[in-house]
Amino acid sequence: MSVLAVIPARYASTRFPGKPLTDIAGRKMIERVWRHTSAAEGVDQVVVATDDARIADAVAAFGGQAVMTPETCRNGTERALAALDELNSTAEIIINVQGDAVLTPPWVIGAVPVVMRADASIEMATPAVKMPPDTEAKFRAAKAAGEVGGTTVVFDGNMKALYFSKTVIPFQRNPDAGTPTWQHIGLYGYRAETLRRLVALDPSPLEQAESLEQLRALENGIPIRIVEVDYRGRSAWSVDAPSDVAEVVAIIAREGELVS
């Protein structure tokens, strides 16, 4: 069962143009994500899907593989499918890894293909991590201050997603109940046929309300398996704006590199 990992990477960005080529402690952002993905268990091939020759050239310079995809791709999901088709790949599982997830450990990325290889009934999967109390408190404070980044998820007893939200769910009316808050990690695994079905669907009402593509799957009856992961003491952070770069560099200096 072949697994293709696709890292969508656009040069144009309203908040952070050229973000994939940003230097992060001596390595370009896209190289860091490529290295972490290449080290993940269960991944057979890694490609960067881009629409810009500058990114493709940078990937080639560090020894990675890039594939050119149309500028008309509206999101990473469409770009992942475009890469699959451009490569004429026969991969049965496609892992979509966000190009700005510079601190996502290889074992978190690899958890998704491992679970999907083991259970052929899983159409789509994505990881989540249980927030420790101090992290949850900071997360809630950031949301209260108006920050948009960061997504939470709730799921049933069979680890099937019930809902994803940019707000903090569930609402803790009774904090003493000890119900955990789970942070969603933005990478996805799809069966090839599920990816095609998802891209063919129109954007759904909840997806448009929350700006979360995964809600399109839930609204159209595509189940999403939540994969519980553990960062093993590592910090989770993504680069959404230029101000995030210094924080990521500080984390790497403090905790060390994920891969050599």
Side-chain angles (χ1 to χ4, degrees):
M1 187 176 295
S2 179
V3 175
L4 170 68
V6 180
I7 307 170
R10 294 173 59 247
Y11 190 92
S13 171
T14 302
R15 289 187 295 174
F16 197 168
K19 182 166 66 170
L21 302 183
T22 300
D23 182 271
I24 305 285
R27 285 179 180 158
K28 288 181 171 57
M29 180 186 300
I30 192 63
E31 180 178 358
R32 287 188 171 277
V33 179
W34 180 85
R35 283 175 175 271
H36 299 167
T37 305
S38 298
E41 182 180 358
V43 172
D44 298 306
Q45 182 182 6
V46 181
V47 298
V48 174
T50 187
D51 57 4
D52 193 285
R54 288 166 289 187
I55 294 176
D57 289 345
V59 172
F62 64 70
Q65 180 182 5
V67 58
M68 297 299 294
T69 50
E71 293 183 6
T72 53
C73 291
R74 296 172 294 179
N75 50 50
T77 309
E78 291 187 4
R79 203 166 296 283
L81 179 58
L84 181 74
D85 289 340
E86 182 65 26
L87 292 166
N88 291 317
S89 174
T90 58
E92 297 166 87
I93 297 171
I94 297 86
I95 308 298
N96 182 347
V97 182
Q98 290 188 353
D100 58 6
V102 291
L103 295 179
T104 304
W107 60 87
V108 170
I109 298 170
V112 173
V114 167
V115 166
M116 293 187 74
R117 282 180 185 270
D119 187 345
S121 71
I122 298 174
E123 298 179 54
M124 184 172 170
T126 191
V129 61
K130 186 188 297 183
M131 287 188 184
D134 59 333
T135 301
E136 181 179 347
K138 291 178 183 178
F139 190 86
R140 289 181 179 276
K143 290 292 185 181
E147 289 191 18
V148 176
T151 302
T152 57
V153 61
V154 289
F155 46 88
D156 67 16
N158 294 315
M159 302 299 289
K160 289 185 178 180
L162 296 172
Y163 195 68
F164 299 83
S165 183
K166 287 291 186 181
T167 61
V168 184
I169 54 175
F171 174 73
Q172 298 283 3
R173 184 173 183 178
N174 180 15
D176 293 336
T179 305
T181 298
W182 292 82
Q183 183 173 3
H184 174 233
I185 309 302
L187 68 95
Y188 303 90
Y190 319 87
R191 301 288 169 188
E193 60 272 20
T194 302
L195 177 58
R196 293 190 184 282
R197 177 186 170 193
L198 189 62
V199 170
L201 293 168
D202 291 329
S204 62
L206 292 175
E207 173 192 0
Q208 292 175 315
E210 295 252 17
S211 292
L212 293 174
E213 294 174 47
Q214 63 268 40
L215 292 175
R216 186 189 311 182
L218 295 186
E219 289 186 83
N220 285 279
I222 300 174
I224 303 176
R225 173 71 64 85
I226 300 300
V227 181
E228 180 179 353
V229 295
D230 183 352
Y231 268 65
R232 304 176 189 173
R234 303 287 307 206
S235 298
W237 204 281
S238 62
V239 179
D240 299 314
S243 58
D244 291 315
V245 173
E247 180 64 29
V248 169
V249 170
I251 290 171
I252 294 171
R254 184 171 63 248
E255 299 179 3
E257 296 283 2
L258 282 161
V259 297
S260 58

